[in-house]
Amino acid sequence: ALLASTGRLDGHVGLDALLVAVEGLVKRAGGDGLEDVAECTAFVREIRIAQHFRQTLAAMLPAGSPGPALTVVQAGLELGQDVALRCVASVAHEVDEPALEKVSHVPGGGAVVSHRFVYASGQLDKLTNGTEAFRSLDEVLGRSGVGLSDVVSCIFFVRDQLKMYDLFAGFYDAFNVRHPPPPTRDELQA
């Protein structure tokens, strides 16, 4: 079973309280805690909060847990809110069934395997068509035993909406031409 949760926090000094809330949701769904979180996107008002978030998450994970596939995005949030989380956890159906099989983090982005799904951390690109990000994503997925043809969903964060057609051209080439079928996608300005 997958669990999606969104939480918001006023002020970044209490990030641990936000993560404890996510952990509580996972436990109520039958999981062990933060180690069952397969993927997490942190939307931060100011990018300087990102390092504090990464450190807080790492400190709260059990020893030896590599943590979720993590993407941190600077985004406009509601007034007075510094962080919003969107996390997905994998919870075992049976008591003796492991919830997650972790894949070690790889250069350029990590991945977490949960049952039949691979969650990849965000990939960055300086090119407006996303070529570098698609290539990096293909490498991360390849180390997990899958490829771009297996992708079912992508979320794109673009700084300049005027460059969206460039991204569409790169997406079309990567997914429609070279690695069909194309996945669903969302594009957001961040």
Side-chain angles (χ1 to χ4, degrees), residues 30-86:
D32 293 327
L34 289 177
E35 62 268 30
D36 290 337
V37 175
E39 183 268 332
C40 188
T41 302
F43 300 93
V44 297
R45 179 176 299 284
E46 298 176 20
I47 200 64
R48 64 180 175 80
I49 298 171
Q51 184 61 28
H52 181 63
F53 177 78
R54 284 186 181 97
Q55 291 170 345
T56 303
L57 177 61
M60 293 182 68
L61 287 167
S65 174
L70 180 63
T71 302
V72 180
V73 179
Q74 183 174 347
L77 299 174
E78 294 178 21
L79 189 61
Q81 296 173 334
D82 290 336
V83 179
L85 295 180
R86 183 200 156 275

Side-chain angles (χ1 to χ4, degrees), residues 97-111:
E97 176 187 5
L100 290 176
E101 297 174 41
K102 299 289 185 180
V103 174
S104 60
H105 292 267
V106 295

